[in-house]
Amino acid sequence: MIQKPKIKTNRALFSSGPCAKYPGWDINNLDTTILGRSHRAKQPKNFIEYSINLTAELLELPKDYKVAIVPASDTGAFELAMWNLLGSRPIDVFAWESFGKGWVTDIINQLNLSNVNKIEAEYGFLPDLSKANPKNDIVFTLNGTTSGVKVPDLNWIDNNREGLTLCDATSGLFAQNVDWSKLDVTTFSWQKVLGGEAQHGMIILSPRAIDRINTYNPDWPMPKIFRIKKSGKVDESIFTGSTINTPSLMCVADYVSALEWAKKSGGLKKLIEIANSNLDIISQWVEKNNWISFLAQDKETISNTSVCLEFASKSPDGDDLDTAALSKDIQKILEEEQIGYDIGAYRDAPPGLRIWVGATVEPQDVSILLEWIEWAYFSIIQKQ
Ligand SMILES: Cc1ncc(COP(=O)(O)O)c(C=O)c1O
């Protein structure tokens, strides 16, 4: 019988969004001087612009890439991108889990675009990225949060492409290196790798994406919430702190504090290192335990933020297991013990566990969590 671990996690926060705040986060440390002011006044607008500039600095964006804050989290940012940019040429859309499949549905059933190549794969796999046609627009997810499968690199994107790339990068940015020359439109939200608050979307545009916005007018009506053009051209003021509608200045203050923490901690390199070492801890543990495995089938594609694991259908003693029930029971025990919250697989994904290990999660907590998962697993199966 395996011993119940004695040490508890320092923080039991492993949700894949909203994700854990950075270590040492304290609401009293937020710069709240602009609360209660108009977001269009000089000082608050400068503060918003500061958050945009710090984002660009930390992500090491090329100087000619532009960043804006838009409504409605990553979903808002990605929808805004699709509504403003798609429709002028054929589309290759790659999907391998819930969020990517959602973009496929929107392109085909909401925007009603017909010249669309769907290139899909089941949970655990990546679709055939070599099918990307450089003449087409390419839509994809950087890190499939619900399957724990990421694109290992962006080398499959042609440097001389004619179409644009639209990348939903919300659970990968600040944890994974990206070659910006391959990305034209990139979106994310604050509550993922930096542990900020939800409901604000970020959009990063390459010069070619801005050129498309300036020269292409989709033939569908544009809801106000997606309108980023003024007199037919992109409204440049969104890149310097103006917003389409009112942002939460409290959330901006929180985002700035996360960005400053990231910068002080060693910047992008350090954030990536933390996520990688968290994944290493899990990889070594999975290697030792043949009753659990990554949902991602190819090692190169295993996410270093949303790590998805599945249980073997037989116990080490050869008994059949109901893996969905087992996974639920483990989650319940870990929650009751206050060791790990929100580690269940996403509702549309195969049953199992999903552990967020982005840069705000401390390696020591990951190690402790795994000991408890092991203990919970054996406690449950030995009772059966
Ligand atoms: C890959 C991906 N895309 C989109 C979303 C939706 O993000 P938001 O809730 O910020 O709109 C998520 C959320 O988990 C996600 O992981």
Side-chain angles (χ1 to χ4, degrees):
M1 180 81 184
I2 179 165
Q3 285 273 310
K4 184 172 181 178
K6 294 203 174 53
I7 303 173
K8 294 203 167 208
T9 45
N10 182 30
R11 296 190 306 160
L13 306 173
F14 300 97
S15 147
S16 293
C19 302
K21 296 287 187 198
Y22 59 83
W25 178 90
D26 182 341
I27 198 159
N28 294 308
N29 292 341
L30 303 190
D31 180 350
T32 54
T33 45
I34 55 162
L35 298 199
R37 300 276 320 268
S38 161
H39 60 294
R40 306 207 185 268
K42 190 159 178 267
Q43 197 190 348
K45 191 165 162 276
N46 286 347
F47 192 66
I48 298 171
E49 186 176 11
Y50 172 58
S51 77
I52 287 175
N53 292 343
L54 212 45
T55 303
E57 182 187 330
L58 264 172
L59 287 175
E60 301 171 5
L61 292 184
K63 286 275 171 281
D64 52 358
Y65 277 47
K66 300 277 168 89
V67 184
I69 299 174
V70 297
S73 231
D74 179 66
T75 308
F78 206 70
E79 292 285 355
L80 179 152
M82 293 196 294
W83 280 59
N84 275 280
L85 290 145
L86 293 183
S88 74
R89 53 173 69 231
I91 299 162
D92 295 338
V93 53
F94 295 87
W96 56 96
E97 51 80 63
S98 181
F99 287 104
K101 290 183 189 215
W103 307 140
V104 174
T105 305
D106 288 0
I107 291 168
I108 296 175
N109 301 343
Q110 298 296 326
L111 290 174
N112 285 329
L113 292 169
S114 49
N115 213 341
V116 181
N117 306 310
K118 271 194 297 186
I119 304 125
E120 295 187 306
E122 281 317 307
Y123 277 87
F125 297 89
L126 260 189
D128 183 357
L129 300 172
S130 72
K131 294 225 165 92
N133 180 346
K135 288 191 181 310
N136 298 348
D137 286 336
I138 296 169
V139 177
F140 71 104
T141 310
L142 188 70
N143 183 82
T145 324
T146 65
S147 68
V149 174
K150 64 166 190 178
V151 293
D153 57 55
L154 300 175
N155 299 339
W156 49 281
I157 297 171
D158 198 315
N159 283 336
N160 301 314
R161 61 193 173 279
E162 289 171 32
L164 297 176
T165 50
L166 278 71
C167 174
D168 168 7
T170 195
S171 58
L173 284 191
F174 299 102
Q176 296 162 11
N177 264 316
V178 290
D179 174 353
W180 288 105
S181 71
K182 306 283 188 180
L183 300 182
D184 296 303
V185 183
T186 310
T187 65
F188 71 98
S189 45
W190 297 343
Q191 76 274 16
K192 293 283 193 218
V193 183
L194 291 179
E197 291 299 303
Q199 284 308 322
H200 298 76
M202 299 300 276
I203 188 161
I204 303 171
L205 299 168
S206 74
R208 291 179 61 244
I210 291 175
D211 189 54
R212 167 82 63 86
I213 297 169
N214 287 341
T215 53
Y216 166 64
N217 289 308
D219 57 11
W220 43 75
M222 194 66 71
K224 178 169 180 184
I225 214 84
F226 293 164
R227 256 181 263 153
I228 51 168
K229 284 168 93 159
K230 209 174 169 180
S231 316
K233 301 272 180 214
V234 69
D235 177 0
E236 295 274 339
S237 73
I238 60 171
F239 306 131
T240 55
S242 287
T243 48
I244 297 171
N245 64 345
T246 316
S248 156
L249 295 178
M250 178 69 115
C251 294
V252 176
D254 182 65
Y255 180 51
V256 163
S257 96
L259 290 165
E260 289 179 338
W261 162 78
K263 191 172 167 179
K264 264 199 313 256
S265 307
L268 184 62
K269 189 163 168 273
K270 183 66 189 177
L271 300 184
I272 294 173
E273 257 171 46
I274 300 170
N276 283 346
S277 57
N278 283 341
L279 173 60
D280 279 348
I281 293 168
I282 301 185
S283 299
Q284 283 164 24
W285 178 76
V286 166
E287 194 120 316
K288 280 195 306 206
N289 291 292
N290 60 7
W291 45 271
I292 194 156
S293 56
F294 290 106
L295 184 56
Q297 301 298 306
D298 176 352
K299 195 164 180 289
E300 294 296 299
T301 67
I302 299 174
S303 168
N304 62 351
T305 58
S306 54
V307 176
C308 296
L309 300 166
E310 56 182 355
F311 294 101
S313 58
K314 287 200 185 293
S315 75
D317 290 337
D319 298 325
D320 286 329
L321 294 173
D322 175 346
T323 56
L326 172 66
S327 135
K328 284 222 155 52
D329 290 345
I330 291 178
Q331 289 165 55
K332 190 160 170 274
I333 293 175
L334 295 192
E335 189 167 333
E336 278 165 8
E337 296 278 355
Q338 301 178 341
I339 296 301
Y341 298 127
D342 315 319
I343 59 165
Y346 190 72
R347 54 180 187 261
D348 299 342
L353 301 178
R354 180 174 60 161
I355 306 170
W356 181 264
V357 297
T360 58
V361 175
E362 291 172 290
Q364 200 188 343
D365 279 340
V366 177
S367 301
I368 296 169
L369 174 74
L370 298 179
E371 284 176 30
W372 282 84
I373 292 175
E374 197 168 332
W375 167 75
Y377 173 87
F378 283 102
S379 311
I380 294 165
I381 64 164
Q382 278 160 9
K383 271 193 212 131
Q384 283 175 356

PDB file of all heavy atoms in Angstrom, residues 16 72-76 97 99 103 141 143-145 168 170-171 189 191-192, ligand 1:
ATOM      1  N   SER A  16      -6.497  25.252 -16.240  1.00  0.00           N
ATOM      2  CA  SER A  16      -5.979  25.715 -17.543  1.00  0.00           C
ATOM      3  C   SER A  16      -6.633  27.016 -17.976  1.00  0.00           C
ATOM      4  O   SER A  16      -6.622  27.373 -19.149  1.00  0.00           O
ATOM      5  CB  SER A  16      -6.188  24.635 -18.600  1.00  0.00           C
ATOM      6  OG  SER A  16      -5.376  23.526 -18.297  1.00  0.00           O
ATOM      7  N   ALA A  72     -13.559  40.856 -25.196  1.00  0.00           N
ATOM      8  CA  ALA A  72     -14.044  39.467 -25.138  1.00  0.00           C
ATOM      9  C   ALA A  72     -12.977  38.386 -25.227  1.00  0.00           C
ATOM     10  O   ALA A  72     -13.165  37.354 -25.882  1.00  0.00           O
ATOM     11  CB  ALA A  72     -15.131  39.230 -26.174  1.00  0.00           C
ATOM     12  N   SER A  73     -11.857  38.650 -24.562  1.00  0.00           N
ATOM     13  CA  SER A  73     -10.877  37.594 -24.338  1.00  0.00           C
ATOM     14  C   SER A  73     -10.304  37.062 -25.655  1.00  0.00           C
ATOM     15  O   SER A  73     -10.395  37.707 -26.699  1.00  0.00           O
ATOM     16  CB  SER A  73     -11.538  36.471 -23.518  1.00  0.00           C
ATOM     17  OG  SER A  73     -10.768  36.121 -22.407  1.00  0.00           O
ATOM     18  N   ASP A  74      -9.705  35.894 -25.589  1.00  0.00           N
ATOM     19  CA  ASP A  74      -9.100  35.345 -26.805  1.00  0.00           C
ATOM     20  C   ASP A  74     -10.163  35.068 -27.867  1.00  0.00           C
ATOM     21  O   ASP A  74      -9.939  35.294 -29.057  1.00  0.00           O
ATOM     22  CB  ASP A  74      -8.345  34.058 -26.464  1.00  0.00           C
ATOM     23  CG  ASP A  74      -7.720  33.448 -27.692  1.00  0.00           C
ATOM     24  OD1 ASP A  74      -6.803  34.073 -28.256  1.00  0.00           O
ATOM     25  OD2 ASP A  74      -8.161  32.369 -28.118  1.00  0.00           O
ATOM     26  N   THR A  75     -11.322  34.611 -27.429  1.00  0.00           N
ATOM     27  CA  THR A  75     -12.400  34.327 -28.391  1.00  0.00           C
ATOM     28  C   THR A  75     -12.750  35.598 -29.161  1.00  0.00           C
ATOM     29  O   THR A  75     -12.875  35.579 -30.388  1.00  0.00           O
ATOM     30  CB  THR A  75     -13.669  33.813 -27.665  1.00  0.00           C
ATOM     31  OG1 THR A  75     -13.283  32.726 -26.819  1.00  0.00           O
ATOM     32  CG2 THR A  75     -14.730  33.365 -28.630  1.00  0.00           C
ATOM     33  N   GLY A  76     -12.892  36.708 -28.430  1.00  0.00           N
ATOM     34  CA  GLY A  76     -13.202  37.983 -29.083  1.00  0.00           C
ATOM     35  C   GLY A  76     -12.111  38.365 -30.069  1.00  0.00           C
ATOM     36  O   GLY A  76     -12.388  38.762 -31.207  1.00  0.00           O
ATOM     37  N   GLU A  97      -8.539  19.738 -31.703  1.00  0.00           N
ATOM     38  CA  GLU A  97      -9.200  19.681 -30.386  1.00  0.00           C
ATOM     39  C   GLU A  97     -10.294  20.737 -30.366  1.00  0.00           C
ATOM     40  O   GLU A  97     -10.516  21.443 -31.357  1.00  0.00           O
ATOM     41  CB  GLU A  97      -8.206  19.832 -29.230  1.00  0.00           C
ATOM     42  CG  GLU A  97      -7.265  21.009 -29.319  1.00  0.00           C
ATOM     43  CD  GLU A  97      -7.862  22.317 -28.900  1.00  0.00           C
ATOM     44  OE1 GLU A  97      -8.240  22.428 -27.727  1.00  0.00           O
ATOM     45  OE2 GLU A  97      -7.949  23.251 -29.743  1.00  0.00           O
ATOM     46  N   PHE A  99     -11.089  23.826 -29.265  1.00  0.00           N
ATOM     47  CA  PHE A  99     -11.080  25.243 -29.658  1.00  0.00           C
ATOM     48  C   PHE A  99     -10.835  25.401 -31.155  1.00  0.00           C
ATOM     49  O   PHE A  99     -11.525  26.167 -31.832  1.00  0.00           O
ATOM     50  CB  PHE A  99     -10.053  26.025 -28.835  1.00  0.00           C
ATOM     51  CG  PHE A  99     -10.514  26.215 -27.421  1.00  0.00           C
ATOM     52  CD1 PHE A  99      -9.980  25.459 -26.391  1.00  0.00           C
ATOM     53  CD2 PHE A  99     -11.530  27.101 -27.119  1.00  0.00           C
ATOM     54  CE1 PHE A  99     -10.427  25.597 -25.089  1.00  0.00           C
ATOM     55  CE2 PHE A  99     -11.991  27.251 -25.826  1.00  0.00           C
ATOM     56  CZ  PHE A  99     -11.434  26.502 -24.804  1.00  0.00           C
ATOM     57  N   TRP A 103     -13.228  27.039 -34.317  1.00  0.00           N
ATOM     58  CA  TRP A 103     -12.931  28.023 -35.384  1.00  0.00           C
ATOM     59  C   TRP A 103     -13.378  27.477 -36.742  1.00  0.00           C
ATOM     60  O   TRP A 103     -13.865  28.224 -37.593  1.00  0.00           O
ATOM     61  CB  TRP A 103     -11.441  28.383 -35.411  1.00  0.00           C
ATOM     62  CG  TRP A 103     -10.867  28.852 -34.093  1.00  0.00           C
ATOM     63  CD1 TRP A 103      -9.640  28.525 -33.588  1.00  0.00           C
ATOM     64  CD2 TRP A 103     -11.460  29.732 -33.119  1.00  0.00           C
ATOM     65  NE1 TRP A 103      -9.439  29.126 -32.364  1.00  0.00           N
ATOM     66  CE2 TRP A 103     -10.543  29.869 -32.051  1.00  0.00           C
ATOM     67  CE3 TRP A 103     -12.683  30.394 -33.031  1.00  0.00           C
ATOM     68  CZ2 TRP A 103     -10.806  30.648 -30.921  1.00  0.00           C
ATOM     69  CZ3 TRP A 103     -12.960  31.170 -31.903  1.00  0.00           C
ATOM     70  CH2 TRP A 103     -12.032  31.294 -30.872  1.00  0.00           C
ATOM     71  N   THR A 141      -4.244  26.667 -34.284  1.00  0.00           N
ATOM     72  CA  THR A 141      -4.050  26.904 -32.853  1.00  0.00           C
ATOM     73  C   THR A 141      -2.593  26.558 -32.530  1.00  0.00           C
ATOM     74  O   THR A 141      -2.090  25.548 -33.006  1.00  0.00           O
ATOM     75  CB  THR A 141      -4.984  25.962 -32.059  1.00  0.00           C
ATOM     76  OG1 THR A 141      -6.293  26.096 -32.597  1.00  0.00           O
ATOM     77  CG2 THR A 141      -5.020  26.286 -30.587  1.00  0.00           C
ATOM     78  N   ASN A 143      -1.314  25.966 -29.440  1.00  0.00           N
ATOM     79  CA  ASN A 143      -1.283  24.956 -28.381  1.00  0.00           C
ATOM     80  C   ASN A 143      -2.722  24.510 -28.109  1.00  0.00           C
ATOM     81  O   ASN A 143      -3.523  25.302 -27.617  1.00  0.00           O
ATOM     82  CB  ASN A 143      -0.684  25.584 -27.123  1.00  0.00           C
ATOM     83  CG  ASN A 143      -0.542  24.604 -25.978  1.00  0.00           C
ATOM     84  OD1 ASN A 143       0.416  23.844 -25.909  1.00  0.00           O
ATOM     85  ND2 ASN A 143      -1.503  24.609 -25.062  1.00  0.00           N
ATOM     86  N   GLY A 144      -3.017  23.271 -28.470  1.00  0.00           N
ATOM     87  CA  GLY A 144      -4.375  22.774 -28.257  1.00  0.00           C
ATOM     88  C   GLY A 144      -4.593  22.518 -26.772  1.00  0.00           C
ATOM     89  O   GLY A 144      -4.182  21.480 -26.243  1.00  0.00           O
ATOM     90  N   THR A 145      -5.248  23.463 -26.124  1.00  0.00           N
ATOM     91  CA  THR A 145      -5.362  23.395 -24.665  1.00  0.00           C
ATOM     92  C   THR A 145      -6.109  22.159 -24.187  1.00  0.00           C
ATOM     93  O   THR A 145      -5.845  21.650 -23.106  1.00  0.00           O
ATOM     94  CB  THR A 145      -6.098  24.646 -24.137  1.00  0.00           C
ATOM     95  OG1 THR A 145      -5.721  25.764 -24.928  1.00  0.00           O
ATOM     96  CG2 THR A 145      -5.784  24.916 -22.690  1.00  0.00           C
ATOM     97  N   ASP A 168      -4.340  31.190 -33.163  1.00  0.00           N
ATOM     98  CA  ASP A 168      -4.872  31.313 -31.802  1.00  0.00           C
ATOM     99  C   ASP A 168      -3.775  30.768 -30.879  1.00  0.00           C
ATOM    100  O   ASP A 168      -3.535  29.569 -30.840  1.00  0.00           O
ATOM    101  CB  ASP A 168      -6.162  30.491 -31.699  1.00  0.00           C
ATOM    102  CG  ASP A 168      -6.624  30.310 -30.266  1.00  0.00           C
ATOM    103  OD1 ASP A 168      -6.037  30.928 -29.350  1.00  0.00           O
ATOM    104  OD2 ASP A 168      -7.588  29.541 -30.058  1.00  0.00           O
ATOM    105  N   THR A 170      -3.365  31.414 -27.477  1.00  0.00           N
ATOM    106  CA  THR A 170      -3.603  31.850 -26.099  1.00  0.00           C
ATOM    107  C   THR A 170      -2.918  31.000 -25.029  1.00  0.00           C
ATOM    108  O   THR A 170      -2.481  31.538 -24.018  1.00  0.00           O
ATOM    109  CB  THR A 170      -5.115  32.002 -25.808  1.00  0.00           C
ATOM    110  OG1 THR A 170      -5.257  32.743 -24.600  1.00  0.00           O
ATOM    111  CG2 THR A 170      -5.844  30.668 -25.690  1.00  0.00           C
ATOM    112  N   SER A 171      -2.811  29.692 -25.230  1.00  0.00           N
ATOM    113  CA  SER A 171      -2.201  28.911 -24.145  1.00  0.00           C
ATOM    114  C   SER A 171      -0.745  28.552 -24.441  1.00  0.00           C
ATOM    115  O   SER A 171      -0.151  27.750 -23.726  1.00  0.00           O
ATOM    116  CB  SER A 171      -3.036  27.657 -23.852  1.00  0.00           C
ATOM    117  OG  SER A 171      -3.167  26.869 -24.999  1.00  0.00           O
ATOM    118  N   SER A 189      -5.160  35.727 -24.535  1.00  0.00           N
ATOM    119  CA  SER A 189      -5.860  36.425 -23.453  1.00  0.00           C
ATOM    120  C   SER A 189      -5.000  36.374 -22.194  1.00  0.00           C
ATOM    121  O   SER A 189      -4.095  35.559 -22.082  1.00  0.00           O
ATOM    122  CB  SER A 189      -7.243  35.809 -23.222  1.00  0.00           C
ATOM    123  OG  SER A 189      -7.164  34.402 -23.212  1.00  0.00           O
ATOM    124  N   GLN A 191      -5.515  35.597 -19.052  1.00  0.00           N
ATOM    125  CA  GLN A 191      -5.661  34.666 -17.909  1.00  0.00           C
ATOM    126  C   GLN A 191      -4.908  33.353 -18.076  1.00  0.00           C
ATOM    127  O   GLN A 191      -5.022  32.470 -17.244  1.00  0.00           O
ATOM    128  CB  GLN A 191      -7.145  34.384 -17.642  1.00  0.00           C
ATOM    129  CG  GLN A 191      -7.820  33.435 -18.616  1.00  0.00           C
ATOM    130  CD  GLN A 191      -8.348  34.133 -19.856  1.00  0.00           C
ATOM    131  OE1 GLN A 191      -7.974  35.260 -20.144  1.00  0.00           O
ATOM    132  NE2 GLN A 191      -9.218  33.480 -20.593  1.00  0.00           N
ATOM    133  N   LYS A 192      -4.164  33.222 -19.176  1.00  0.00           N
ATOM    134  CA  LYS A 192      -3.471  31.947 -19.389  1.00  0.00           C
ATOM    135  C   LYS A 192      -2.076  31.991 -18.759  1.00  0.00           C
ATOM    136  O   LYS A 192      -1.956  31.991 -17.550  1.00  0.00           O
ATOM    137  CB  LYS A 192      -3.387  31.650 -20.885  1.00  0.00           C
ATOM    138  CG  LYS A 192      -4.743  31.377 -21.493  1.00  0.00           C
ATOM    139  CD  LYS A 192      -5.216  29.997 -21.156  1.00  0.00           C
ATOM    140  CE  LYS A 192      -6.393  29.621 -22.019  1.00  0.00           C
ATOM    141  NZ  LYS A 192      -7.401  28.870 -21.343  1.00  0.00           N
TER     142      LYS A 192
HETATM  143  C1  LIG B   1      -6.745  27.375 -27.530  1.00  0.00           C
HETATM  144  C2  LIG B   1      -7.823  28.214 -26.926  1.00  0.00           C
HETATM  145  N1  LIG B   1      -8.516  29.044 -27.705  1.00  0.00           N
HETATM  146  C3  LIG B   1      -9.485  29.820 -27.207  1.00  0.00           C
HETATM  147  C4  LIG B   1      -9.819  29.788 -25.883  1.00  0.00           C
HETATM  148  C5  LIG B   1     -10.891  30.689 -25.359  1.00  0.00           C
HETATM  149  O1  LIG B   1     -10.262  31.680 -24.639  1.00  0.00           O
HETATM  150  P1  LIG B   1     -11.035  32.843 -23.899  1.00  0.00           P
HETATM  151  O2  LIG B   1     -11.818  32.192 -22.821  1.00  0.00           O
HETATM  152  O3  LIG B   1      -9.939  33.721 -23.431  1.00  0.00           O
HETATM  153  O4  LIG B   1     -11.907  33.490 -24.910  1.00  0.00           O
HETATM  154  C6  LIG B   1      -9.136  28.938 -25.023  1.00  0.00           C
HETATM  155  C7  LIG B   1      -9.504  28.853 -23.602  1.00  0.00           C
HETATM  156  O5  LIG B   1      -9.119  27.971 -22.881  1.00  0.00           O
HETATM  157  C8  LIG B   1      -8.114  28.143 -25.556  1.00  0.00           C
HETATM  158  O6  LIG B   1      -7.414  27.348 -24.757  1.00  0.00           O
END
